[in-house]
Every structure is written in C-alpha cells, then in structure tokens.
Amino acid sequence: MTTIQRRIAEPTRRDGTLTFVDGDDHRSLRWSEVDQGARGKAVGLSALGVGPGDHVALLGPTTPDLVATIEAIWLSGATVVVLPLPMRMSSIEEFVAQTRRRIRGADSALLVVDPQLAPFVEPEAGDPPMVGYTDLVGDPDAWVAPPADPEALAILQFTSGSTSDPKGVMLPQRVVLANVDAIAEALALDVENDVAVSWLPLYHDMGLVGILTSAMVRGVDLVLAGPQTFMASPSRWVQWLSDYRGTITA
C-alpha cells in the first residue's frame, strides 16, 4: 500500500517530459521541474494552514500552474477538488452558481483560482478563502512529507450534473493508485518509450486519473492541451500525435 506522494518520490521514477500545448504555443518541462514547483506550492499551502484532511478546490484551465498545484495538494496530504470550467459563455451565470455550490458542497478549506477566472468567483459569506497561484510560494527544500495514508482522500470529484445535482465522489489514495496500476497493466505501458497525448479536461476522471496521474506517478512523457485548444481546431489532436509520436491517447 502506498500513496501518490510516495510514488512521485520513488527514485526509480522516470524523469520524462511534460509538454503543454496552448494554441500553437508548446512548452516542455521535465517532471523533476514540475515536482520542484509543486514542493514550493505545497510549502505555500502549509503556510495557509492546509494539511491532511483538508479539501482544496481548484479552478483554472490546463496550465503548468494547474498541474503543479494538483501535485502540491497531494504533497501536502490534502484532497484535490478540480472544478469544471464553462464550455459556453452564454451559461456563465449558471457556471458561477454551480461552481459556488460545488465549492461549498466539497467543504473546501481553500479555493485556488487562475487569475483569468477570479472575477467570476469573488468570495461571499460562507465561502472559503480564495488565493491565486502566486500566493502559493515557498522554499521547495522546506517541504516535509506528511504521513502516508492510503485511506486518505486523494480526489473529491463531482458528477457532471447532467441528470441531477452534481454529487461528490470520494476517491481514496489506494483506489486511485489501483486504477492507475490497472490502466498500466492493461496497456502494457512501456515507461521508457510510450508517449501520452491528451486534451481531456483535468476535472474529468479520464483526464485527471487515466492520463495525468498515470503519467505523473511514473514520469511518462505527456503532451497536454486544454479542451478549448482542441475544440478550436480538432485536427490538432492528430497533428500532436504525429509530431510527438504519441502512442497513448484518450
């Protein structure tokens, strides 16, 4: 039995490449660079009082900051709550209302928001404190691993709400890792040679667990775009697979 935090820290984990695609802009980082940023953010979370047992809500598009903050929450021993983004600006009022219901329903101790979305979720009475990525600053070398607890919640994920009110699904560390390991076994994952390519949103279980977490815990090469980039030009998906010699996609 282990945790995501311990799997990330394993010395045998590969230091692969994580490439972010935003329109025609491509930016590549090593997983070790993502880890360094995540440890600094984890220290920043600790300074804000976040620790094991806390739920941290996240709202933002697919960026290096979002991924590093997801990892930072796990490194702090807390639970990730990735909130859905609006797909149509015409539904912005419902998006704001439903986002607030999810934040409160998740019993969030903190809300971390991308700057471009902050104006939509200004805190009201009863809401948790809201911070931006730049507020999560700390010395990566000062990070201290919390006790490993396989039964602790790794993810609190809301159902889509398409047929009823969204419901929070509680996913412990051991369950998420069992899923990740089953995926690797079913795919006969080749850590040294496989390349994953995804545009799936990180509030979606296949995007967050099947792709991001699966790649993160093993250091697999990953090309990651946001759904908006894909929807603006769907043929880019095939182009990314070709350019990066992708072997895994979803």
Side-chain angles (χ1 to χ4, degrees), residues 180-190 194 196 210-211 214 247-250:
V180 164
D181 291 340
I183 290 168
E185 182 178 355
L187 291 177
L189 181 67
D190 183 344
D194 275 325
I211 296 291
S214 292
T247 59
I248 297 169
T249 194

Side-chain angles (χ1 to χ4, degrees), residues 126-146:
D127 290 341
M130 184 176 81
V131 299
Y133 298 128
T134 56
D135 297 309
L136 304 180
V137 179
D139 178 3
D141 294 332
W143 174 70
V144 177

